[in-house]
Amino acid sequence: MADPPIRWGILGAGAIAATVGADIAATPGNVLHAVAARDGARAAAFAAAHGVSRSYGSYADLVGDPDVDVVYIATTHGQHYDHALLALEAGKPILVEKAFTLNAAQARQVVDTARARGLFCMEAMWIRFNPLVRQAVDIVNSGRIGDVVGVRADLSRHFPYDATHRLFDLLAGGGALLDLGVYPTTMAWLFLGRPDTVHAVGALSPTGSDLTSAMQWGYTDGRVAQLYCSAAGDSPFAALVTGTAGWIAIEPRIHRPVRLVVHDPSGDEVIDAEPQIGNGYGYQVLEVDRCLRTGALESPLVALEETVRILEVLDEARRQVGVRYAADEQE
């Protein structure tokens, strides 16, 4: 007899909920069971458009639904902390959209709560599951390009200034670092680990959110990372991993790579991605599925300690650039 499907509840009815929700629905063994939004009519419209069984005008009502097996938190950054705790306290496993929370202190409390309650918890850092990114990690670990000496990574996109847009709204957790910079930060972390020093510069929007940020990471053994993100202009650059015997270019966009170019003493090899299934989020849905069915409380590919420590680095970068959230004052 086939295992029963995993029934997902989604907090939030915006664009990312629709995009990831489509991949959840397309993943065998998983179904969209419920969606909630502050506006019940919006949740009902989302449910009708995406084939969701139930809709709620209250987040508390969704996490209280006994038929929801896991909650995907797709609200804005500034709401992740409260909604993660709401779901965990209702006994629900959670997948939390990136950035996981506004800062490391919030992340630590969510992680500690999940562990105390014995519930699965994961940040939806989907590039960690991308097959090309996993292949790049494997190539580096094989020693093919020698010892890694540096990483350069960038994700930028032009957002016309609008003080009410989530990217410029500090209450919503606005800023390029949490929205875009979390990707190059994660990419560098995959190949270099936690930096010993962080130096950051940037420019602020009129609301005080970070518009552009650049980070230089240093390591006591001489390795470096150069990371950039901006909401002020587009960029085609993705990531470059440099080693003592070659390099790997992850192209063309860090969050949606389509090829690797691997250079070693024998020359260049181009590795093209397999045709993408859905919107590319299905790989992380499969990992949540695997963890829930096997009783795992976290994924080895998105270790909760790394989620917290990456936010510690982003906290320091924000401090140097001059961005403060109200949540920072509560630490």
Side-chain angles (χ1 to χ4, degrees), residues 68-260:
V68 169
D69 299 314
V70 59
V71 174
Y72 167 50
I73 296 169
T75 48
T76 60
H77 301 153
Q79 299 174 293
H80 289 176
Y81 170 74
D82 288 338
H83 292 164
L85 292 181
L86 180 72
L88 291 171
E89 289 165 1
K92 301 299 187 186
I94 55 173
L95 174 68
V96 185
E97 189 52 56
K98 60 82 192 165
F100 189 69
T101 53
L102 290 181
N103 58 33
Q106 287 188 338
R108 174 60 65 192
Q109 187 168 346
V110 171
V111 168
D112 287 349
T113 301
R115 288 173 171 166
R117 292 179 173 270
L119 293 168
F120 172 80
C121 176
M122 190 176 92
E123 180 182 23
M125 182 42 68
W126 58 301
I127 64 168
R128 286 179 178 261
F129 303 102
N130 182 281
L132 279 183
V133 174
R134 298 308 312 160
Q135 192 167 359
V137 171
D138 290 342
I139 291 170
V140 166
N141 290 341
S142 76
R144 180 174 169 184
I145 66 167
D147 297 326
V148 175
V149 297
V151 171
R152 280 179 279 169
D154 167 17
L155 183 62
S156 299
R157 177 185 169 191
H158 181 222
F159 288 84
Y161 178 70
D162 176 356
T164 65
H165 189 278
R166 62 172 179 79
L167 198 129
F168 302 102
D169 182 356
L170 289 178
L171 291 177
L177 272 169
L178 290 191
D179 199 81
L180 303 168
V182 68
Y183 285 106
T185 298
T186 298
M187 189 67 74
W189 196 285
L190 283 170
F191 298 103
L192 297 173
R194 183 174 187 151
D196 296 309
T197 60
V198 176
H199 298 285
V201 295
L204 303 182
S205 77
T207 61
S209 65
D210 54 295
L211 185 64
T212 297
S213 296
M215 286 186 284
Q216 180 93 10
W217 290 4
Y219 296 79
T220 55
D221 59 9
R223 295 173 298 154
V224 297
Q226 296 171 312
L227 311 176
Y228 177 83
C229 64
S230 180
D234 294 319
S235 169
F237 185 67
L240 179 68
V241 183
T242 304
T244 54
W247 47 259
I248 302 174
I250 303 171
E251 300 176 341
R253 298 279 280 168
I254 198 169
H255 62 323
R256 293 188 180 277
V258 299
R259 76 184 69 85
L260 302 179

Side-chain angles (χ1 to χ4, degrees), residues 16-83:
I16 190 62
T19 302
V20 177
D23 282 7
I24 292 172
T27 302
N30 292 264
V31 297
L32 295 178
H33 176 73
V35 62
R38 288 175 296 182
D39 181 342
R42 187 180 187 200
F46 184 100
H50 300 282
V52 183
S53 303
R54 300 175 187 173
S55 67
Y56 295 102
S58 160
Y59 298 127
D61 286 348
L62 184 144
V63 301
D65 185 333
D67 296 328
V68 169
D69 299 314
V70 59
V71 174
Y72 167 50
I73 296 169
T75 48
T76 60
H77 301 153
Q79 299 174 293
H80 289 176
Y81 170 74
D82 288 338
H83 292 164

Side-chain angles (χ1 to χ4, degrees), residues 256-271:
R256 293 188 180 277
V258 299
R259 76 184 69 85
L260 302 179
V261 180
V262 184
H263 175 84
D264 63 18
S266 67
D268 290 350
E269 178 188 8
V270 177
I271 302 172

